[in-house]
Amino acid sequence: MSTPYPFTAVVGQTDLRLALLLNAVSPAVGGVLVRGEKGTAKSTAVRALSALLPAVDVVPGCRFSCAPVAPDPDCPDGPHEDGPGSARPARMVELPVGASEDRLVGALDIERALAEGVKAFEPGLLADAHRGILYVDEVNLLHDHLIDLLLDAAAMGASYVEREGVSVRHAARFLLVGTMNPEEGELRPQLLDRFGLTVEVAASREPAQRVEVVRRRLAYEDDPAGFAARWSGDESEVRARVVAARALLPQVRLGDNALLQIAATCAGFEVDGMRADIVMARTATALAAWAGRTTVLKEDVRQAALLALPHRRRRNPFDAPGLDEDKLDEILDRFPDEEPQDDPDPEPDPGTDPEPDPDGGPENPQGPDDGGGPDGGGGVPPQGGGPQDAQPPAEPAEAPADAPEGAPQPPAQEAGPEQAAVRAAEPFRTKMLSVPGLGEGAAGRRSRARTAHGRTTGAQRPRGQLTKLHLAATVHAAAPHQKARGRAGRGLVIRKDDLRQATREGREGNLVLFVVDASGSMAARQRMSAVKGAVLSLLLDAYQRRDKVGLVTFRGAAAELALPPTSSVDAAAARLEKLPTGGRTPLGSGLLKAHEVLRIERLRDPSRRPLLVVVTDGRATSAGAVGGDPRELTSRSARLLAAEGVASVVVDCESGPVRLGLAGALAADLGGPAVTLDGLRADSLAGLVKDVRTAVTTPASHTTRRAA
């Protein structure tokens, strides 16, 4: 077994280390979601945490890690006899992104259950993680149904496996830690809320700290055991402190004043539901225990808010999580800290004035000896701004992008062919756009597909391990052979060849590729604002339906890939917001660029079907580098996409009393419908679009069916 990197040797990332340690002190806090860019020691810190957890006593031979003093009465390996337990280190179990449902919750032997009535159960990762850590790297890339199972088990402290009326239950209490890179896509708000705490991590911009990171990492790789030995003293101190904080936790008093501060903070930031209040209360209590106190102070409540609220505050899907610390201080200042510090002998007197604790308070939660190192080594100071303190100063926003409608523009920009970016109009709920046919792509919420979850549509012989039994088809297959098999009792005699797998139909996520006209004909301020609002609305729809998105823009003499296909809808919204306009209209070049992008993505992910959304008024005034007649190039490019079976829709941006109908002609070449900006709204009576379908049966439609 390789030597893990020491937890106390992690440079910086104080918010991350504090959040992990608070969950080690009080697992009821609900876990940690770590968001941040790649290469910021997210996985290193999580993997190092298990070495700081106390050893656990387990019943010998129990696959579900039951405690000897209080074994689970429903344990599948039970009942357990009284006797001494055996100690083992706390486990850290990793859930791979590609794990199946059976690997997560365990597998039930359906054949033995039907034929013998025996609950032959093979435990999954949830059982392995009981009383330890369950670590999910790239949690945002897990399928939704796996995340739902995972979070349900974390919330209930138990895992249930049910197959055709046969059920198994076992305890599953663990510290849940997930890491993710927001550039690869966001979690749904409902799932974000299920994580107790969240921290944002980023690489330090301080040269001295970056040098120390490199120095320690190279030293660890040269001699892992020797490097770990040099930090063993700091590791032991933190481990002892976790044990002491756990013992002190039941004695921590959460006063009415602290509860009022928590409630006012959650209400002030308009947090939905009551989970935030509960998590804040548990976090503040853990902070007090970590500091060696039995009273929760205002500083604990403030720190708890910085860790528990950023991912819960009411926000638009494209807003980055965060918390206004000035507003937080303003709310907390309404409630003077009247709670006293601890007196080890008498009961605390509510009327006394607290004295600050220089060593154990939240201002220095690691104590006077914090483990050394340029960042304090094992020290875990409070969030207080977190990794953004290490970020370079933000670039000032361009005035034209923030200016109100009608504000004068700088003369240099008015004179040039390119106009500055304008704000998008308010987004709205769009009509449902979907790809025709039946796909087999990643689970999502847009187009029909064969999926592991959904409504049952038929049965087939299982390919590999049986996961979803079709009971009626299984009985039908076994019934003709009962006499030959010597059936004597009431039960059926089931053989493996009789088992049938249920086939299900659900929804898949698609690749929605936006091709946006940013030419001079779209540059009228109000018009481009409306166009951006429409695309932003479609991006919001793609976010909710779990799609990948890409963005191609065209203007001047060429088209460019503004955003390669990604699961991060936030990134697409940010690129759209900064999109300038002006110049001629190389519409054909934009379609050719889209064809190239889709060709490459088809090689990378052949099961994910594309949906092309072209946002334009249909004018073509430039052929770009290709040359020739712009309109002919546009028509040929559109017919090329249609011939390859790409489902398309054209959002017609033409306005005014006189309309040329060019967008409609483009839609006809693409083999899809055209819808106006107004018709795109879900509450509009005109332009109803439910499916993007090819106009006639052509070789393109055969391509679509073959891909499905």
Side-chain angles (χ1 to χ4, degrees):
M1 179 179 177
S2 60
T3 304
Y5 192 91
F7 185 86
T8 51
V10 175
V11 179
Q13 309 302 6
T14 54
D15 305 335
L16 171 58
R17 290 184 287 139
L18 177 60
L20 292 173
L21 288 171
L22 291 177
N23 274 272
V25 171
S26 175
V29 166
V32 186
L33 176 64
V34 187
R35 299 163 44 93
E37 58 196 30
K38 53 187 177 293
T40 50
K42 300 189 298 292
S43 300
T44 299
V46 175
R47 293 188 176 101
L49 178 65
S50 60
L52 301 180
L53 298 182
V56 294
D57 290 329
V58 298
V59 174
C62 178
R63 298 174 297 167
F64 301 88
S65 302
C66 284
V69 295
D72 180 10
D74 297 321
C75 176
D77 285 355
H80 299 298
E81 298 180 358
D82 295 336
S86 59
R88 64 159 176 79
R91 291 175 180 159
M92 196 202 72
V93 177
E94 293 195 42
L95 174 62
V97 170
S100 65
E101 180 181 343
D102 286 344
R103 184 70 186 99
L104 176 63
V105 300
L108 194 65
D109 191 328
I110 300 295
E111 185 177 0
R112 292 189 62 191
L114 289 176
E116 306 172 29
V118 176
K119 295 181 181 179
F121 181 69
E122 185 66 29
L125 295 177
L126 292 180
D128 293 341
H130 180 46
R131 304 176 68 195
I133 302 172
L134 182 60
Y135 172 45
V136 188
D137 195 12
E138 306 294 351
V139 64
N140 53 324
L141 301 184
L142 277 181
H143 284 178
D144 285 352
H145 74 281
L146 289 181
I147 299 178
D148 291 335
L149 290 171
L150 181 65
L151 295 178
D152 284 344
M156 296 185 296
S159 174
Y160 295 85
V161 182
E162 305 219 8
R163 299 284 167 81
E164 304 298 337
V166 182
S167 63
V168 171
R169 175 210 169 275
H170 64 84
R173 290 182 294 274
F174 47 82
L175 167 56
L176 176 63
V177 183
T179 59
M180 60 175 283
N181 184 347
E183 294 178 356
E184 297 173 338
E186 282 285 0
L187 282 171
R188 304 198 314 264
Q190 296 91 334
L191 301 181
L192 282 172
D193 187 54
R194 299 294 290 273
F195 282 93
L197 309 180
T198 186
V199 290
E200 296 279 337
V201 296
S204 172
R205 300 299 187 261
E206 292 293 332
Q209 197 172 71
R210 295 175 75 97
V211 166
E212 187 63 22
V213 170
V214 175
R215 181 180 291 120
R216 293 187 187 183
R217 188 67 200 185
L218 293 178
Y220 169 74
E221 292 176 354
D222 289 342
D223 183 10
F227 183 83
R230 291 196 293 274
W231 289 89
S232 60
D234 300 290
E235 295 280 288
S236 298
E237 290 179 11
V238 176
R239 189 180 302 111
R241 191 169 178 187
V242 169
V243 173
R246 281 189 174 186
L248 183 62
L249 187 65
Q251 306 172 37
V252 176
R253 185 172 66 89
L254 185 66
D256 291 341
N257 197 49
L259 284 171
L260 281 173
Q261 292 170 356
I262 291 170
T265 301
C266 293
F269 283 100
E270 299 180 319
V271 177
D272 295 330
M274 295 298 299
R275 184 176 283 118
D277 303 63
I278 297 171
V279 171
M280 273 191 65
R282 289 171 174 166
T283 305
T285 304
L287 279 163
W290 178 249
R293 289 183 277 99
T294 58
T295 303
V296 174
L297 302 180
K298 182 192 296 184
E299 289 80 0
D300 301 322
V301 175
R302 185 182 192 278
Q303 183 64 56
L306 291 171
L307 292 170
L309 294 189
H311 61 304
R312 290 189 170 92
R313 68 178 180 84
R314 183 175 297 170
R315 61 188 182 94
N316 292 323
F318 302 128
D319 291 341
L323 211 63
D324 185 342
E325 295 191 35
D326 292 335
K327 180 178 179 180
L328 174 61
D329 291 333
E330 180 183 341
I331 293 173
L332 293 178
D333 286 343
R334 302 174 194 163
F335 302 90
D337 194 354
E338 299 175 355
E339 302 291 350
Q341 284 281 14
D342 298 318
D343 188 345
D345 295 324
E347 285 292 320
D349 183 359
T352 59
D353 237 349
E355 292 292 333
D357 185 352
D359 293 335
E363 291 299 322
N364 185 12
Q366 189 67 7
D369 183 5
D370 58 14
D375 64 317
V380 188
Q383 184 162 346
Q388 60 265 34
D389 292 341
Q391 298 287 354
E395 293 292 333
E398 295 183 12
D402 297 329
E405 297 293 343
Q409 301 296 320
Q413 291 181 343
E414 289 179 349
E418 180 179 297
Q419 298 189 18
V422 298
R423 284 186 178 277
E426 194 68 21
F428 51 85
R429 191 166 63 90
T430 65
K431 286 188 172 68
M432 173 68 171
L433 304 176
S434 62
V435 179
L438 194 63
E440 294 181 343
R445 299 183 178 182
R446 184 172 296 279
S447 304
R448 294 173 54 229
R450 299 183 186 93
T451 59
H453 298 268
R455 64 184 181 90
T456 301
T457 59
Q460 64 182 13
R461 291 182 181 272
R463 304 175 199 170
Q465 186 176 11
L466 178 72
T467 56
K468 298 291 182 182
L469 178 74
H470 195 295
L471 183 58
T474 299
V475 172
H476 187 270
H481 309 289
Q482 295 305 296
K483 185 176 180 179
R485 293 173 182 174
R487 174 187 171 189
R490 298 179 60 185
L492 287 175
V493 180
I494 303 291
R495 299 285 186 264
K496 189 171 183 179
D497 289 343
D498 301 329
L499 300 178
R500 294 295 183 268
Q501 175 86 22
T503 58
R504 298 172 183 260
E505 182 179 311
R507 294 279 174 175
E508 68 177 359
N510 297 113
L511 167 59
V512 182
L513 181 61
F514 294 93
V515 181
V516 180
D517 187 346
S519 63
S521 63
M522 305 286 290
R525 194 171 183 84
Q526 294 290 346
R527 187 178 184 187
M528 196 60 196
S529 178
V531 168
K532 284 188 175 183
V535 178
L536 195 63
S537 303
L538 290 167
L539 283 172
L540 178 59
D541 182 68
Y543 166 81
Q544 294 167 340
R545 301 189 187 280
R546 315 300 289 168
D547 295 315
K548 289 181 70 174
V549 296
L551 179 62
V552 172
T553 64
F554 57 92
R555 62 186 178 89
E560 66 171 340
L561 180 60
L563 180 71
T566 174
S567 296
S568 177
V569 178
D570 293 358
R575 300 290 174 88
L576 178 71
E577 190 69 23
K578 299 176 182 178
L579 179 65
T581 56
R584 298 173 67 83
T585 312
L587 177 54
S589 298
L591 296 176
L592 288 176
K593 174 63 72 173
H595 176 268
E596 178 187 351
V597 172
L598 294 179
R599 180 184 61 81
I600 295 173
E601 283 301 307
R602 194 177 297 116
L603 297 174
R604 291 176 177 169
D605 190 358
S607 64
R608 188 180 289 269
R609 298 186 295 164
L611 173 61
L612 184 68
V613 180
V614 185
V615 185
T616 180
D617 57 8
R619 290 181 173 87
T621 61
S622 172
V626 180
D629 185 281
R631 289 173 293 183
E632 178 60 27
L633 175 64
T634 298
S635 180
R636 283 191 287 110
S637 302
R639 290 196 299 269
L640 174 63
L641 288 163
E644 295 190 357
V646 177
S648 307
V649 61
V650 177
V651 179
D652 186 359
C653 303
E654 193 173 26
S655 60
V658 179
R659 302 195 178 213
L660 302 178
L662 299 176
L666 173 63
D669 286 335
L670 286 168
V675 56
T676 64
L677 288 176
D678 289 337
L680 192 62
R681 294 178 179 271
D683 54 359
S684 172
L685 297 178
L688 181 63
V689 180
K690 285 198 177 288
D691 288 316
V692 181
R693 302 186 183 278
T694 52
V696 294
T697 302
T698 63
S701 54
H702 295 298
T703 303
T704 304
R705 287 196 296 271
R706 186 167 60 251

